[in-house]
Amino acid sequence: MKQIELEDVRTALYEMDVPEVHNFTGDALQSADFWFDLGMDEREISYLISNLEIAKKVKVPINVWDSLKEKNTVNVLIHGANIHLIDLEEN
C-alpha cells in the first residue's frame, strides 16, 4: 500500500516554492504548522494535497480536512491522509 511520507511533502513544498520549508531540517518539518510556520492558506494546502495525489497516484480522503481543523501540522496531514489513502493503481 502506498503511503505519503515526509519527504513527499517536503518535495511538494519545494516545488510550490514555499520558502519557509528551508527553515525545517530533518524531522522538524513534521511539527510545522501550515498557517503559522509555513505561511500557507487553505487554497495552498489544497494545492499541496493535489500535488501529492498526482505525484503518488493516490486519492487523499476529504476527511483529512477534519483532522487539519484540530491541529494544522504536516504530521497531521500525513497521518490523516494515510489512514484511508486510496491507491488509484490498485483500482
Side-chain angles (χ1 to χ4, degrees):
M1 176 99 177
K2 291 183 181 177
Q3 298 284 298
I4 293 177
E5 305 290 335
L6 180 61
E7 289 309 310
D8 299 323
V9 175
R10 185 183 309 278
T11 299
L13 290 170
Y14 281 134
E15 290 172 355
M16 291 174 61
D17 292 323
V18 176
E20 293 83 359
V21 73
H22 298 286
N23 298 335
F24 298 92
T25 59
D27 291 342
L29 183 60
Q30 288 182 0
S31 61
D33 184 283
F34 284 110
W35 293 344
F36 298 111
D37 297 326
L38 297 173
M40 297 175 69
D41 60 21
E42 289 180 356
R43 180 188 54 83
E44 292 167 316
I45 297 168
S46 180
Y47 186 60
L48 170 67
I49 292 171
S50 177
N51 287 345
L52 290 168
E53 289 176 328
I54 292 167
K56 298 291 282 189
K57 295 184 174 84
V58 296
K59 179 67 179 150
V60 174
I62 193 72
N63 62 356
V64 74
W65 287 102
D66 294 334
S67 301
L68 289 172
K69 288 178 186 174
E70 296 294 321
K71 192 170 183 184
N72 197 31
T73 65
V74 171
N75 193 46
V76 169
L77 170 66
I78 292 170
H79 183 69
N82 286 336
I83 289 175
H84 302 289
L85 199 66
I86 300 167
D87 187 340
L88 296 177
E89 292 183 339
E90 286 184 3
N91 296 327

